[in-house]
Amino acid sequence: MISLHTSPLDQPGTGDAGGMNVYVIELARRLAARGVEVDIFTRATRSTLPPVVEAGDGLVVRHIHAGPFEGLTKEELPAQLCVFAREVLRAEAAQPSGHYDAVHSHYWLSGQVGALARDRWGVPLVHSMHTMAKVKNDALALGDHPEPAARVIGEEQVVEAADMLVANTDLEAKQLINLYDADPGRVEVVHPGVDLDLFRPLDRARTRDDLGLARDAHVLLFAGRIQPLKAPDVLLRAVAVMLERDPSLRHRLVVPVVGGPSGSGLDRPEALATLARDLGLVGSPGRPDVVRFVPPVAQADLARWYAAASVVAVPSYNESFGLVAAEAQAAGTPVVAAAVGGLTTVVDDGRSGLLVDGHDPRAWADALARVVGDEALHARLEAGAVAQARRFSWEATAAQVLAVYERARTRMRESVS
């Protein structure tokens, strides 16, 4: 596997680490459990990182030195593709001939390296886009930057080079075909999974006690990277509308924002905190704080936050899948999500959560108030959330991806013959 721009060992929720990091490491672990040896190549971002990390039985993460360890943005990484590719090829050359059977690249930068490895090693390339520039640019968040033309061209090249493309949802498959002219026969839909052992319902009262949350609070949780694409500001504006409509809610509403600045959010890392103050969501004498900012947490701690929440809000402008929504539902917590991208697959509207068209704070306030204000609805959504999450498991994902690898090998043999 190639995950050039972000390591699967990085803490999700800040920088460039997010759902893709979880996807790569969890899929690799499940493949290794099936007897598949997996090497993950990623760029070293600290001089102290060991060249090789044994991440489990049959699973190795290789840190490649390519460019400065720190300070490079994702937009600057294309200049390091050549040196990264050279080091990947050098690592393979130290192995016995035919050491690798397939390459699975993640994100377009990795796909560029994967295409070179495919041709050099004579093995099939399977690629996962995770996000696509054309899709992001069509649904650009206010204050976000459009993806550059170089990325669009690079993605088109990877789509053409890959033997098989893994799409997270039917919608993503259609986008690959319609926007990138992908051959439908080379696109396979495989849903990402959820760690159902880790993300599961917990005793809500006890979990809230542990996290310092009132047992009777309406806890509206945002978890993820703080950047315009993820739209945490929509949640804050919706909460302000809820308080304007019913000021008595102030003593019950708690809005934890779990995550750190990322992407274009790094341009103004204090913007969300400033917005919270401007909206009156930060306390003053006699007025409790509504918003609580929590730094990124480990997956086990994130599972507790999900389980403690009344609702998890996912107001993103686009999501290729939406792991936060899937994990929250596995914890038995209803989700209110934007009706975009993969979220329309992950959230069963009216059964495991509610989907909201658009990003109007008033519409979001309506949906959030409906879930926390109707106990019967909340109970139905809790049960539906757990049932919906069972549709997604990493074991099923690994089995299907293995089948995609075999299809890619067959296609490559046929193309050679």
Side-chain angles (χ1 to χ4, degrees):
M1 290 191 187
I2 302 174
S3 179
L4 186 157
H5 81 282
T6 179
S7 170
L9 302 181
D10 287 348
Q11 167 68 57
T14 190
D16 288 321
M20 195 188 94
N21 300 67
V22 177
Y23 183 102
V24 172
I25 194 66
E26 294 294 344
L27 174 59
R29 285 170 176 159
R30 297 327 188 278
L31 291 173
R34 287 172 166 264
V36 179
E37 294 185 22
V38 183
D39 284 6
I40 304 173
F41 289 89
T42 190
R43 195 181 78 87
T45 54
R46 297 192 306 277
S47 61
T48 55
L49 289 171
V52 176
V53 175
E54 299 283 346
D57 291 340
L59 175 56
V60 171
V61 176
R62 299 183 180 275
H63 293 112
I64 300 297
H65 289 189
F69 292 113
E70 298 177 356
L72 278 185
T73 66
K74 191 161 54 176
E75 291 71 27
E76 295 172 312
L77 286 177
Q80 304 301 324
L81 284 176
C82 287
V83 65
F84 186 90
R86 183 188 69 205
E87 294 304 317
V88 169
L89 296 179
R90 179 176 293 174
E92 187 273 345
Q95 303 290 345
S97 178
H99 180 69
Y100 293 116
D101 298 299
V103 177
H104 189 169
S105 54
H106 299 270
Y107 194 68
W108 77 276
L109 292 168
S110 301
Q112 291 281 323
V113 178
L116 177 62
R118 171 198 186 274
D119 295 342
R120 187 70 174 267
W121 302 341
V123 300
L125 171 64
V126 173
H127 182 71
S128 296
M129 296 290 275
H130 293 283
T131 63
M132 292 178 275
K134 293 181 181 180
V135 175
K136 290 184 71 173
N137 287 346
D138 283 345
L140 207 60
L142 183 66
D144 216 346
H145 309 309
E147 295 297 322
R151 175 178 172 182
V152 174
I153 295 170
E155 289 178 343
E156 292 172 339
Q157 292 169 341
V158 173
V159 168
E160 183 178 2
D163 295 284
M164 289 295 298
L165 296 158
V166 175
N168 287 333
T169 63
D170 291 335
L171 176 59
E172 186 179 352
K174 291 176 182 177
Q175 291 166 337
L176 282 166
I177 294 165
N178 296 333
L179 298 178
Y180 288 85
D181 200 27
D183 175 1
R186 293 191 295 112
V187 180
E188 190 73 32
V189 176
V190 180
H191 296 321
V194 178
D195 186 339
L196 298 175
D197 293 326
L198 177 61
F199 298 102
R200 66 189 192 279
L202 303 173
D203 183 286
R204 181 163 287 155
R206 187 177 303 166
T207 305
R208 287 188 173 189
D209 290 345
D210 292 342
L211 295 173
L213 299 168
R215 291 190 174 191
D216 65 345
H218 296 318
V219 180
L220 314 181
L221 174 70
F222 173 90
R225 291 173 287 166
I226 299 175
Q227 57 175 285
L229 175 69
K230 303 294 184 181
D233 62 295
V234 172
L235 172 60
L236 267 57
R237 296 181 195 278
V239 169
V241 172
M242 294 173 69
L243 291 174
E244 181 181 356
R245 293 173 177 173
D246 183 0
S248 68
L249 283 174
R250 183 171 192 99
H251 292 277
R252 291 196 67 186
L253 274 181
V254 180
V255 183
V257 176
V258 181
S262 172
S264 55
L266 292 169
D267 297 341
R268 298 174 60 217
E270 299 299 323
L272 197 65
T274 299
L275 177 63
R277 287 194 298 272
D278 291 345
L279 293 173
L281 303 181
V282 176
S284 57
R287 288 163 56 88
D289 285 348
V290 174
V291 174
R292 177 190 298 189
F293 290 98
V294 181
V297 297
Q299 291 291 91
D301 291 326
L302 183 59
R304 295 164 67 221
W305 279 103
Y306 287 145
S310 309
V311 180
V312 171
V314 188
S316 305
Y317 282 88
N318 184 62
E319 290 285 350
S320 62
F321 184 65
L323 275 177
V324 165
E327 292 168 351
Q329 290 176 150
T333 301
V335 172
V336 174
V340 299
L343 291 169
T344 59
T345 296
V346 176
V347 179
D348 190 353
D349 189 25
R351 292 183 174 86
S352 68
L354 300 180
L355 293 173
V356 181
D357 290 321
H359 296 82
D360 184 342
R362 291 167 297 181
W364 276 81
D366 291 342
L368 292 165
R370 183 181 166 203
V371 175
V372 298
D374 186 334
E375 292 184 4
L377 172 63
H378 193 275
R380 290 200 306 273
L381 295 179
E382 284 183 318
V386 174
Q388 177 73 351
R390 291 197 188 106
R391 295 180 53 205
F392 310 108
S393 75
W394 286 117
E395 287 74 19
T397 302
Q400 293 173 61
V401 168
L402 273 177
V404 174
Y405 293 164
E406 289 300 326
R407 284 190 62 189
R409 293 175 67 180
T410 300
R411 289 189 67 90
M412 189 174 198
R413 284 196 298 266
E414 291 174 348
S415 66
V416 172
S417 61

